[in-house]
């Protein structure tokens, strides 16, 4: 295969093109392959007789830029089998040129020949120093999580209004609509145009071209309170030397009660379908995660990075049907695979099938989990009727204990009843803890209705009969 020479046409007009490259192009007796004709240097060289073969039609035929780049490279490599190829690109070949990177990864010999980058002119035009922190992103292929708002931020290759709109919509996820951004076109050339506009006007007021870039100045801290990095810094400050005395003295042990409390408050918000409440309570749960992680970092044992890494790797490993080529037919198979993968991760066999169930779970929830675990190894009723028969047996034993008047035996037998009920709930895939929580809330609602109804009638609940209370109870049920 013949060599491919890649020439950079610079970022501006013909006056910026190095003399050596200008002479080389003018003395060619064959066409130069060029990614696009939409460049002032190409137009000037065409006027001087240089012949170009462009790939502009491919841009029109493809919807994805990735497909465009690979088709261009495929054509160039095919031509290189026959003759030496000269391929010209805007700017410098090693700056924001995906086709060049793909060619460099091929087995063909590639030589990079000159070309000036537009970055020097960009920094001059914007009057910024990149040493303060600079991020350069391809507007055609970036993700929101790639963006670092603490840096000077430049999006290159803002070819058209569609790309400009995509950049704008992504930035609006983090920045206000009136945030000032700068649109730069043909920087360093006679056609240079630099305009500052509010972010919301990015795709509306200014025409863009293949020489357009967008500059976003570093964002002030108060606009980044929604970012993980800022949250981490806040928690670090609270635990630091000049932080809060309460946060400074906390330990893993002292925070245990708050972790339980915050989870239950989150459940309350979910049950109430209170979106604002869910946001607040999720934040409180996250606070517990951050505080425990900061304590771990302060003591030198682990950091939030370890927590996130462990979680990320676990999720990838336990979802091979998503991140690998395995397939599953339904959610039950996902759970089955999850349990097996979980065992593989531990690298050891538990002494008991019941090991690993949290001791601090509420007793009803723990009973449910214990029976789920036992059922997985075959300790289960052959049919649901066996569970109902067991429930009847435990009820009879409870009655016997009541007759004997032994409080300790009554407590034990009543516990057996609850344990069987938890098992029956498992058969129907009902979480007994959640079910009882709903019933508690329902009882509170109905009882409160009854109290309010009596209050409206200027009566006290202590002076009405049970029959009257039952009537009001039924009224409450009808209004649910």
């Amino acid at each position: 295969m013949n060599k491919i020479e890649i020439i950079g046409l610079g970022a501006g007009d013909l006056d910026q093109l190095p003399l050596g490259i200008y002479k080389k192009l003018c003395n060619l007796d064959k066409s130069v392959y060029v990614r696009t004709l939409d460049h002032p240097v190409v137009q000037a060289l065409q006027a001087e007789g240089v012949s170009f073969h462009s790939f502009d039609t491919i841009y029109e035929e493809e919807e994805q830029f990735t497909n465009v780049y690979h088709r261009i490279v495929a054509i160039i490599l095919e031509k290189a089998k026959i003759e030496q190829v000269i391929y010209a690109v805007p700017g410098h070949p090693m700056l924001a040129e995906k086709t060049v990177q793909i060619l460099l990864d091929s087995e063909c010999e590639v030589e990079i020949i000159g070309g000036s980058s537009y970055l020097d002119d960009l920094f001059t035009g914007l009057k910024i120093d990149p040493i303060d922190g600079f991020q350069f992103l391809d507007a055609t292929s970036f993700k929101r999580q790639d963006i670092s708002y603490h840096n000077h931020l430049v999006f290159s290759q803002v070819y058209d209004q569609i790309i400009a709109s995509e950049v704008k919509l992504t930035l609006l996820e983090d920045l206000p609509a009136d945030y000032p951004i700068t649109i730069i076109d043909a920087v360093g050339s006679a056609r240079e145009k630099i305009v500052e506009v509010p972010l919301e006007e990015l795709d509306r007021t200014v025409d863009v071209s293949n020489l357009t870039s967008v500059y976003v100045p570093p964002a002030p801290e108060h606009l980044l309170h929604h970012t993980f990095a800022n949250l981490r810094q806040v928690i670090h400050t609270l635990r630091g030397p000049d932080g809060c005395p309460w946060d400074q003295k906390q330990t893993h042990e002292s925070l245990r009660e708050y972790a339980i409390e915050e989870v239950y408050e989150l459940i309350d918000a979910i049950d109430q379908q209170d979106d604002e409440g869910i946001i607040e309570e999720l934040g409180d749960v996250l606070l517990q995660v951050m505080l425990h992680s900061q304590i771990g970092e302060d003591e030198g044992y682990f950091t939030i990075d370890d927590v996130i890494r462990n979680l990320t790797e676990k999720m990838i490993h336990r979802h091979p049907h998503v991140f690998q080529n395995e397939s599953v037919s339904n959610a039950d198979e996902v759970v089955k695979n999850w349990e097996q993968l979980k065992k593989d991760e531990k690298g050891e066999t538990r002494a008991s099938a019941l090991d690993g169930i949290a001791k601090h779970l509420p007793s009803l929830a723990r009973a449910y989990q214990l029976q789920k675990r036992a059922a997985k190894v075959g300790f289960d009723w052959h049919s649901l009727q066996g569970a109902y028969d067991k429930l009847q047996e435990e009820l009879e034993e409870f009655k016997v204990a009541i007759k004997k008047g032994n409080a300790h035996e009554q407590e034990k037998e009543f516990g057996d009843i609850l344990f069987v009920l938890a098992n029956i709930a498992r058969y129907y895939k009902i979480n007994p803890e959640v079910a009882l929580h709903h019933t508690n809330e329902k009882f509170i609602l109905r009882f409160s209705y009854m109290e309010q109804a009596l209050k409206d009638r200027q009566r006290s609940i202590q002076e009405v009969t049970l029959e009257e209370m039952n009537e009001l109870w039924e009224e409450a049920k009808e209004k649910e």
Side-chain angles (χ1 to χ4, degrees):
M1 186 174 288
N2 294 285
K3 181 171 68 174
I4 300 173
E5 294 182 349
I6 304 179
I7 294 177
L9 298 175
D13 49 34
L14 192 60
D15 291 338
Q16 294 179 305
L17 194 67
L19 182 59
I21 292 178
Y22 172 74
K23 288 181 177 180
K24 181 179 182 66
L25 290 170
C26 288
N27 291 330
L28 289 173
D29 57 0
K30 60 180 179 181
S31 291
V32 176
Y33 288 91
V34 65
R35 183 163 60 76
T36 176
L37 293 174
D38 190 13
H39 192 282
V41 170
V42 173
Q43 296 158 14
L45 289 172
Q46 282 180 317
E48 297 193 22
V50 180
S51 175
F52 289 96
H53 176 87
S54 83
F55 298 103
D56 287 317
T57 56
I58 297 179
Y59 282 90
E60 299 171 1
E61 295 167 356
E62 297 287 350
E63 294 183 359
Q64 301 293 328
F65 283 105
T66 300
N67 296 337
V68 172
Y69 301 145
H70 282 282
R71 280 186 60 185
I72 292 173
V73 169
I75 294 171
I76 292 173
L77 290 174
E78 193 63 32
K79 293 296 181 181
K81 293 178 181 178
I82 304 170
E83 61 181 355
Q84 184 171 326
V85 175
I86 295 180
Y87 174 49
V89 296
H92 192 284
M94 297 305 295
L95 180 68
E97 279 297 334
K98 187 64 177 177
T99 56
V100 174
Q101 294 301 316
I102 299 173
L103 284 168
L104 289 170
D105 288 337
S106 71
E107 297 179 357
C108 185
E109 181 185 358
V110 176
E111 181 182 358
I112 305 296
I113 303 177
S116 61
S117 161
Y118 83 115
L119 289 181
D120 288 344
D121 292 321
L122 180 74
F123 297 143
T124 300
L126 293 171
K127 297 180 175 59
I128 62 174
D129 187 343
I131 200 170
D132 295 331
F134 169 67
Q135 187 179 25
F136 192 60
L137 292 173
D138 183 346
T140 68
S141 60
F142 75 98
K143 297 178 181 178
R144 180 186 172 197
Q145 59 264 33
D146 297 334
I147 302 174
S148 176
Y149 288 103
H150 291 98
N151 296 325
H152 295 287
L153 180 61
V154 173
F155 290 90
S156 67
Q157 306 197 100
V158 187
Y159 290 128
D160 54 35
Q161 303 297 129
I162 294 176
I163 298 174
S165 180
E166 291 174 351
V167 171
K168 180 187 81 170
L169 292 174
T170 301
L171 293 175
L172 284 173
E173 294 284 338
D174 299 295
L175 301 174
D178 61 351
Y179 194 76
I181 55 102
T182 303
I183 300 173
I184 313 103
D185 191 63
V187 67
S189 72
R191 297 195 292 111
E192 176 180 292
K193 188 175 182 181
I194 300 177
V195 181
E196 183 179 293
V197 298
L199 174 56
E200 63 183 341
E201 298 295 326
L202 171 56
D203 58 346
R204 299 176 186 173
T205 59
V206 179
D207 291 331
V208 298
S209 71
N210 66 318
L211 298 178
T212 300
S213 295
V214 172
Y215 167 67
V216 182
E221 289 296 320
H222 74 274
L223 293 181
L224 301 177
H225 285 175
H226 65 295
T227 63
F228 180 77
N230 276 35
L231 170 62
R232 185 176 186 179
Q233 183 57 48
V234 166
I235 303 302
H236 176 78
T237 301
L238 288 173
R239 290 270 306 171
D242 299 321
C244 170
W246 185 90
D247 291 283
Q248 290 168 340
K249 74 174 186 178
Q250 297 309 308
T251 65
H252 293 307
E253 291 74 21
S254 70
L255 289 171
R256 284 180 301 183
E257 63 179 288
Y258 301 107
I260 296 171
E261 178 183 322
E262 300 302 354
V263 169
Y264 278 110
E265 289 181 359
L266 171 61
I267 292 172
D268 284 342
I270 292 172
D271 288 343
Q272 295 166 21
Q273 298 183 346
D274 178 4
D275 289 341
E276 291 299 321
I278 292 173
I279 291 172
E280 180 178 353
E281 300 306 336
L282 279 173
D284 290 342
V285 171
L286 178 57
L287 172 60
Q288 297 304 308
V289 175
M290 299 301 295
L291 282 172
H292 281 287
S293 298
Q294 189 61 50
I295 291 170
E297 183 173 347
D298 294 340
E299 295 177 350
Y301 293 114
F302 65 90
T303 71
I304 188 63
D305 296 329
D306 298 309
V307 175
I308 294 172
R309 183 185 301 106
N310 181 275
L311 176 60
T312 301
E313 291 177 353
K314 180 166 63 177
M315 290 300 98
I316 292 172
H317 181 248
R318 295 189 189 177
H319 292 83
H321 54 287
V322 176
F323 299 103
Q324 298 176 31
N325 296 323
E326 293 188 22
S327 60
V328 292
S329 56
N330 53 49
D332 290 338
E333 192 172 342
V334 171
V335 174
K336 182 179 178 181
N337 290 349
W338 177 284
E339 292 300 329
Q340 184 57 51
L341 290 165
K342 188 175 179 179
K343 290 179 182 178
D344 295 343
E345 288 169 2
K346 302 300 180 183
E348 59 183 29
T349 303
R350 286 193 171 110
S352 168
L354 302 181
D355 288 349
I357 296 175
K359 294 180 180 180
H360 292 288
L361 276 174
S363 294
L364 194 58
R366 193 173 184 219
Y368 179 72
Q369 294 298 332
L370 287 168
Q371 292 176 91
K372 277 181 67 177
R373 190 72 65 82
K376 288 178 182 178
V377 295
F379 190 69
D380 199 5
W381 304 109
H382 294 299
S383 69
L384 184 58
Q385 185 58 46
Y388 281 117
D389 292 342
K390 185 66 175 175
L391 176 61
Q392 188 60 42
E393 176 187 325
E394 298 297 350
L395 284 169
E396 294 302 323
E397 291 178 0
F398 178 60
K399 291 177 183 177
V400 171
I402 292 175
K403 288 181 180 179
K404 290 181 178 179
N406 187 320
H408 180 64
E409 285 298 317
Q410 291 170 15
E411 184 180 83
K412 285 173 57 179
E413 296 302 338
F414 192 75
D416 290 345
I417 293 171
L418 294 175
F419 196 79
V420 176
L421 287 171
N423 205 5
I424 292 173
R426 178 182 63 83
Y427 268 94
Y428 293 105
K429 300 185 185 304
I430 296 170
N431 187 307
E433 191 71 34
V434 174
L436 184 57
H437 172 77
H438 288 318
T439 297
N440 290 340
E441 294 303 308
K442 182 170 59 179
F443 181 86
I444 292 170
L445 186 66
R446 291 177 183 176
F447 197 87
S448 298
Y449 174 87
M450 187 171 60
E451 288 180 313
Q452 184 61 46
L454 289 170
K455 184 178 180 181
D456 292 342
R457 299 174 190 180
Q458 297 183 338
R459 300 185 66 188
S460 167
I461 196 167
Q462 287 83 9
E463 62 186 39
V464 298
T465 64
L466 179 60
E467 289 74 16
E468 289 176 296
M469 284 190 279
N470 281 332
E471 288 180 10
L472 291 172
W473 186 271
E474 291 301 321
E475 281 184 25
K477 286 175 64 176
E478 292 175 3
K479 292 183 179 297
E480 289 177 359

